[in-house]
Amino acid sequence: MGINGVPSWEAKPLVAALGETAVWTVENTMAFDHPFHLHGFFFQVLGADGQPVRPLAWKDTVNVPVDGAARFAVRYDNRPGMWMFHCHILDHADAGMMGMLQVVRQERREAAAGGGGEARGAGRGGPAVRGLG
């Protein structure tokens, strides 16, 4: 199991800048739902139209349905550091369905991005977590 075809122990962290807002897209290609959990930050789930799902609520976990996707907007507020994201079915996380998000100050972002993926702001796209499986 893994995220983006890579088990957690082989994956490089995604990198995001402190104060930035990003829209994540999480796709599920497996035959069962996955509850996707992000540590350290709350987010708002977005509908297919890109608007926040009603009723408005801050979440840290969203269900990603079979052969479906979930989108959410998250602001990397005043908490720099390394944060985990994973399937909340812990057997799946243990099997490799997890990753790390490194939130850095803007001036350190370019240097940090050299070692991993990029969790970009909403204006430039966001991380695509494809193929939970």
Side-chain angles (χ1 to χ4, degrees):
M1 293 189 146
I3 294 179
N4 293 339
V6 180
S8 59
W9 51 89
E10 294 178 10
K12 294 179 180 174
L14 299 176
V15 179
L18 193 64
E20 188 171 59
T21 299
V23 175
W24 286 53
T25 301
V26 183
E27 296 179 352
N28 180 6
T29 59
M30 296 191 72
F32 39 84
D33 291 5
H34 291 284
F36 184 86
H37 178 64
L38 175 63
H39 285 247
F41 302 94
F42 290 104
F43 53 80
Q44 286 191 329
V45 177
L46 303 175
D49 62 359
Q51 296 301 309
V53 171
R54 304 281 178 178
L56 292 176
W58 291 107
K59 305 275 188 175
D60 64 2
T61 304
V62 63
N63 186 59
V64 186
V66 172
D67 292 325
R71 293 183 69 219
F72 60 84
V74 58
R75 179 158 177 81
Y76 308 118
D77 56 14
N78 197 19
R79 286 174 277 187
M82 193 70 78
W83 300 96
M84 180 187 296
F85 56 89
H86 59 90
C87 175
H88 222 267
I89 299 172
L90 297 183
D91 288 343
H92 294 181
D94 286 345
M97 198 179 289
M98 74 169 80
M100 300 300 290
L101 170 69
Q102 183 178 12
V103 179
V104 298
R105 298 192 190 292
Q106 184 66 38
E107 61 272 11
R108 295 186 53 216
R109 179 180 180 167
E110 290 77 19
E118 190 173 4
R120 295 171 299 213
R124 297 174 306 228
V129 178
R130 303 195 192 290
L132 292 176

